[in-house]
Amino acid sequence: MNEIICPHCQKTFELDAAGFADIVKQVRDHQFEEELQARLNLAEQEKLNAVKLAEANLKNSIQLELSDKDKEISDLQAKNELHLAEQLAKKETKIAEMKSQIQNADLNTKLEVSEAVKLIEKQKDSLENELKNKETEKQLLVNSLNEKFTSELKTKDEAIAFYKDMKQKLSTKMVGETLEQHCEIEFNKLRSTAFPKAYFEKDNDVRSGTKGDYIFKESDVADNEIISIMFEMKNEGDETATKKKNEDFFKQLDKDRTQKNCEYAVLVSLLENDNEFYNQGIVDVSHKYPKMYVVRPQFFIPIISLLRNAAMNSMEYKAELSLMRNQNVDITHFEEKINTFKEGFAYNYDLASRKFKTAIDEIDKTISHLQKTKDALLSSENNLRLANKKADDLTIKKLTHGNPTMKAKFDELKDEPK
């Protein structure tokens, strides 16, 4: 007994070892659930932090790239402005020189100066236009980078949402293949090693008006069937499975199993992906339909192995039972042969006795010198009587005396209910 003090009322009470262990188990399970929840929350937070870090790194990368582009554009603008300033300074110097010459020149010189000024202004306009084009290119580059950044963020958000959805719906990798193809591929991987004598093919027999998806059968070396399974595969993406439940297919699957003479029925399903009842592994629904199971795709091979091993064990018991029955039949035949011998011997004795009496009557009518023959025949009759008596005394108990094995078999035969 263990004394426990209540932390609220300070009252002491006693518990036996079982009760104390139960309280300790409850406390330990509660602590384990709290720690498990805390770790799940921490894992979720780490995942969110990783996504935020990836977004921050991408933003920093794009900002650095924008900064480099801005610097490049600024350097180019400064260089162009310096070049323009130098050219303008040179032109202004040249203009000043020309103006000085104009003051001392004639009208022709003024005309040349005027044309030179126009040329310089044209070049200035060209440089200004080039600068404006650079500004436009800069703005387009910024817009392009912003669009690229937005597109990449959207793509990553869509990828995250896709993988979250795929994780909820699929517990096994089935990219580019249907559920039926996945199951067939998984079986073929192990066919040559684990199931060398098994039959696993699509059910193409529609003579009964319906058919399942796949049939698995396996027999022993004597061509005795070990196990047979009718499979039905249902994917969330299939049109026939849209907004339906696993239970909607039980009745048809049981009908297919019965019509195709299969022992078991298995529904491999991705339906109701948020139903914890079907997410626990191999689900036995034989309370609704006999020998029926529902599994997720990752338990496709295990359910075959489980049912197959159980069938192999039952085959051993069946073989032992058949051997015992054959032994009982052999014992029965043995006793029948003894009875047949006794009946035949009695019949032959009766026939011989009647013939013997006839002979005696005939011999009595003969002369006395046949008396010795008569005595010999009388002696033969006595021997036959003794032989018949011995045959009548022949019993199972005497036959099995000194043979415990046969005695045990006859005792078992007698104990069996008729």
Side-chain angles (χ1 to χ4, degrees):
M1 301 299 288
N2 296 281
E3 291 187 354
I4 304 298
I5 299 176
C6 178
H8 298 289
C9 62
Q10 303 300 321
K11 183 179 179 180
T12 302
F13 56 93
E14 294 184 349
L15 286 178
D16 56 7
F20 183 75
D22 185 55
I23 291 177
V24 172
K25 181 178 181 299
Q26 292 179 20
V27 174
R28 186 184 298 113
D29 292 345
H30 180 68
Q31 292 176 348
F32 175 77
E33 290 177 359
E34 288 182 349
E35 183 179 350
L36 177 61
Q37 186 62 38
R39 291 190 178 182
L40 290 174
N41 294 336
L42 181 59
E44 184 67 21
Q45 186 61 39
E46 289 179 353
K47 182 178 72 175
L48 294 176
N49 291 339
V51 173
K52 291 180 180 179
L53 180 59
E55 293 177 353
N57 290 336
L58 181 61
K59 289 181 180 179
N60 291 336
S61 176
I62 294 176
Q63 288 176 355
L64 289 174
E65 192 173 335
L66 285 173
S67 177
D68 292 340
K69 293 294 181 180
D70 288 340
K71 184 178 178 182
E72 181 180 350
I73 292 172
S74 298
D75 292 342
L76 180 61
Q77 186 177 3
K79 184 177 179 181
N80 290 335
E81 289 176 352
L82 179 60
H83 179 67
L84 179 61
E86 290 177 352
Q87 287 186 347
L88 288 174
K90 290 180 179 180
K91 295 299 180 181
E92 289 176 355
T93 302
K94 188 174 182 180
I95 290 172
E97 292 177 354
M98 288 183 172
K99 285 181 178 181
S100 176
Q101 293 177 2
I102 289 173
Q103 292 177 356
N104 300 317
D106 55 11
L107 294 175
N108 291 331
T109 304
K110 290 180 178 180
L111 181 60
E112 291 177 359
V113 170
S114 178
E115 292 176 354
V117 170
K118 289 180 180 180
L119 179 61
I120 292 172
E121 288 178 349
K122 184 178 180 180
Q123 292 177 349
K124 179 181 177 181
D125 293 338
S126 177
L127 291 173
E128 289 177 349
N129 290 332
E130 185 177 354
L131 184 60
K132 289 180 181 180
N133 291 334
K134 292 293 183 182
E135 289 290 341
T136 303
E137 290 179 0
K138 174 185 174 182
Q139 188 61 38
L140 291 175
L141 179 60
V142 171
N143 294 336
S144 175
L145 291 175
N146 287 332
E147 291 177 358
K148 179 180 179 183
F149 172 72
T150 304
S151 176
E152 289 182 356
L153 280 180
K154 182 179 179 181
T155 302
K156 289 190 177 295
D157 290 340
E158 291 176 351
I160 292 172
F162 170 76
Y163 285 112
K164 283 183 178 179
D165 183 66
M166 184 177 68
K167 181 179 179 181
Q168 293 176 352
K169 291 185 177 180
L170 300 178
S171 54
T172 183
K173 186 179 180 181
M174 291 184 292
V175 179
E177 61 187 39
T178 65
L179 181 57
E180 291 184 11
Q181 290 173 336
H182 167 76
C183 293
E184 186 171 359
I185 291 172
E186 290 300 312
F187 183 84
N188 288 334
K189 289 180 181 178
L190 301 174
R191 184 192 288 267
S192 60
T193 56
F195 311 104
K197 297 181 180 180
Y199 168 90
F200 181 74
E201 301 294 341
K202 287 187 68 65
D203 181 17
N204 295 319
D205 185 4
V206 293
R207 289 176 296 178
S208 59
T210 181
K211 67 182 185 67
D213 286 334
Y214 282 86
I215 294 178
F216 172 87
K217 288 187 178 182
E218 186 170 3
S219 303
D220 59 13
V221 293
D223 203 24
N224 296 317
E225 183 176 290
I226 299 174
I227 187 174
S228 57
I229 307 173
M230 170 63 70
F231 281 100
E232 183 77 14
M233 286 74 171
K234 290 299 175 185
N235 194 336
E236 187 71 43
D238 294 342
E239 293 182 359
T240 57
T242 302
K243 297 181 180 180
K244 289 193 175 183
K245 298 181 178 180
N246 291 313
E247 191 172 352
D248 297 337
F249 301 94
F250 289 172
K251 182 177 180 180
Q252 185 62 46
L253 179 56
D254 182 67
K255 181 180 178 182
D256 294 337
R257 177 187 72 84
T258 304
Q259 290 181 345
K260 301 303 169 61
N261 296 321
C262 292
E263 184 177 2
Y264 294 95
V266 176
L267 176 64
V268 183
S269 171
L270 283 171
L271 305 180
E272 300 183 74
N273 57 77
D274 56 348
N275 191 328
E276 291 301 325
F277 177 70
Y278 295 110
N279 291 336
Q280 62 182 327
I282 297 174
V283 180
D284 185 356
V285 292
S286 57
H287 59 282
K288 294 186 177 181
Y289 293 92
K291 295 187 176 182
M292 184 176 293
Y293 298 87
V294 180
V295 300
R296 294 305 190 195
Q298 65 268 32
F299 294 100
F300 169 67
I301 295 299
I303 187 63
I304 295 179
S305 301
L306 183 65
L307 297 178
R308 178 176 176 268
N309 292 337
M312 294 292 287
N313 293 333
S314 65
M315 285 294 291
E316 295 178 2
Y317 293 126
K318 289 178 182 178
E320 292 180 2
L321 180 61
S322 176
L323 178 61
M324 293 296 295
R325 288 177 177 172
N326 292 335
Q327 290 176 348
N328 292 335
V329 171
D330 292 340
I331 294 171
T332 304
H333 291 168
F334 178 71
E335 189 173 12
E336 288 176 353
K337 289 180 180 178
I338 293 176
N339 293 332
T340 300
F341 168 74
K342 291 172 67 176
E343 291 173 359
F345 189 86
Y347 171 77
N348 290 333
Y349 170 77
D350 182 64
L351 183 61
S353 178
R354 285 188 278 110
K355 294 290 184 181
F356 179 75
K357 289 180 180 180
T358 302
I360 291 297
D361 293 339
E362 293 296 329
I363 289 172
D364 287 340
K365 297 177 182 179
T366 60
I367 57 177
S368 59
H369 73 273
L370 297 176
Q371 186 64 40
K372 293 183 178 178
T373 305
K374 179 181 178 181
D375 294 337
L377 291 173
L378 289 172
S379 177
S380 298
E381 181 187 13
N382 185 51
N383 289 330
L384 288 172
R385 180 179 58 79
L386 293 174
N388 186 53
K389 182 178 181 181
K390 290 180 180 180
D392 290 336
D393 292 337
L394 182 63
T395 63
I396 298 299
K397 183 176 181 181
K398 290 182 178 180
L399 286 173
T400 58
H401 179 71
N403 191 341
T405 301
M406 293 300 297
K407 185 177 184 303
K409 297 298 183 182
F410 278 110
D411 291 341
E412 292 176 3
L413 186 62
K414 291 178 180 179
D415 294 336
E416 286 185 356
K418 298 183 179 179

